[in-house]
Amino acid sequence: MIDLADAVRQVRESGIRAIVFDLDGTLYANIAFSREIARSFARYIGALKGIDEEAALSLVKETRAELSAASGLEAPLSAACIKLGGDLKEVHRHMAGEIAPERFLARDDRVIELLKRLKARYDLLLYTNNNRSLTGRIVAILGFEELFREIVTIEDGWRAKPASSVLDRVLALAGVPPGECLFVGDRYDIDLRLPALRGCPVLLVTSVEELLQLAPLTEP
């Protein structure tokens, strides 16, 4: 299996002109914040089903496992929300009002510097399953405000990744052929599989340390 360093070298030689980044788990990693997102989601489901938070966490986990087994692909939280009778707009309104990313996140100057150097060579876009409110707050906390030409969230069509219609919008915003648009994410099935099927180069990164290995892309 090709390692990340070799994959980055291949991408660098492929003539990319735009890079689309996932946000959560890709441009930062914070276990406590991820758990808070999961618990906030569970509180919404718990209220919907009349069960406590722990029971809702178990229900969501079981539902995602069932959906993943049925499809053979990792299922996002959004799919579990719909399966359990929830409403995407309502759950995101709930989470945006309840979650405080300021309690968990801090800027990482290494990531900011990498993105600045990438921006000098490529168009940078952000494509996330998060909502607009939380995305804006996270981007501000991490110091990314001026780094992305376009930001696409769950609210752009209310279709969670992977969604062909939203991917079409992202590629249109990138304004380059699929082969010249790199996608970077931490979940292959959710962030990368569909772009890869469209002919886009993709890179899977599962930690900030792996993200920083994109540095060769900044070289002439």
Side-chain angles (χ1 to χ4, degrees), residues 169-209:
R169 172 177 170 78
V170 172
L171 290 171
L173 289 170
V176 298
E180 297 177 7
C181 187
L182 169 67
F183 281 72
V184 181
D186 68 304
R187 302 165 300 176
Y188 187 84
D189 288 340
I190 295 172
D191 300 321
L192 305 178
R193 183 179 296 277
L194 188 56
L197 289 173
R198 293 289 188 88
C200 301
V202 301
L203 289 174
L204 180 69
V205 297
T206 58
S207 67
V208 169
E209 286 66 32

Side-chain angles (χ1 to χ4, degrees), residues 4-76:
L4 181 58
D6 285 340
V8 170
R9 278 195 292 272
Q10 290 183 18
V11 168
R12 180 169 172 263
E13 294 167 1
S14 69
I16 62 167
R17 292 192 287 153
I19 306 177
V20 179
F21 284 96
D22 173 54
L23 178 59
D24 308 301
T26 299
L27 294 178
Y28 75 92
N30 186 292
I31 294 174
F33 186 49
S34 296
R35 287 174 178 162
E36 178 61 17
I37 291 172
R39 286 193 168 274
S40 179
F41 183 88
R43 287 190 284 272
Y44 168 82
I45 295 297
L48 188 70
K49 298 293 188 182
I51 57 179
D52 65 25
E53 184 177 321
E54 295 304 318
L57 278 168
S58 295
L59 178 60
V60 171
K61 183 178 180 180
E62 292 166 5
T63 302
R64 290 185 76 184
E66 291 171 2
L67 290 168
S68 296
S71 68
L73 304 174
E74 182 182 357

Side-chain angles (χ1 to χ4, degrees), residues 21-154:
F21 284 96
D22 173 54
L23 178 59
D24 308 301
T26 299
L27 294 178
Y28 75 92
N30 186 292
I31 294 174
F33 186 49
S34 296
R35 287 174 178 162
E36 178 61 17
I37 291 172
R39 286 193 168 274
S40 179
F41 183 88
R43 287 190 284 272
Y44 168 82
I45 295 297
L48 188 70
K49 298 293 188 182
I51 57 179
D52 65 25
E53 184 177 321
E54 295 304 318
L57 278 168
S58 295
L59 178 60
V60 171
K61 183 178 180 180
E62 292 166 5
T63 302
R64 290 185 76 184
E66 291 171 2
L67 290 168
S68 296
S71 68
L73 304 174
E74 182 182 357
L77 274 175
S78 301
C81 177
I82 294 169
K83 178 69 173 179
L84 291 169
D87 180 271
L88 285 183
K89 293 181 182 180
E90 288 298 323
V91 71
H92 277 282
R93 187 177 297 115
H94 163 82
M95 291 194 296
E98 184 177 82
I99 296 172
E102 298 82 4
R103 292 175 46 215
F104 299 93
L105 305 182
R107 60 189 287 152
D108 186 331
D109 289 335
R110 300 172 302 166
V111 177
I112 294 172
E113 181 59 25
L114 172 66
L115 292 175
K116 285 181 176 178
R117 291 168 63 194
L118 289 170
K119 184 183 178 184
R121 295 183 59 82
Y122 313 100
D123 265 347
L124 303 187
L125 296 85
L126 191 66
Y127 176 23
T128 174
N129 270 351
N130 216 327
N131 60 69
R132 194 171 295 135
S133 173
L134 280 176
T135 296
R137 289 154 67 190
I138 291 168
V139 164
I141 294 164
L142 298 179
F144 299 162
E145 300 101 313
E146 306 300 325
L147 297 175
F148 296 100
R149 178 169 62 78
E150 301 285 352
I151 296 178
V152 177
T153 75
I154 186 72

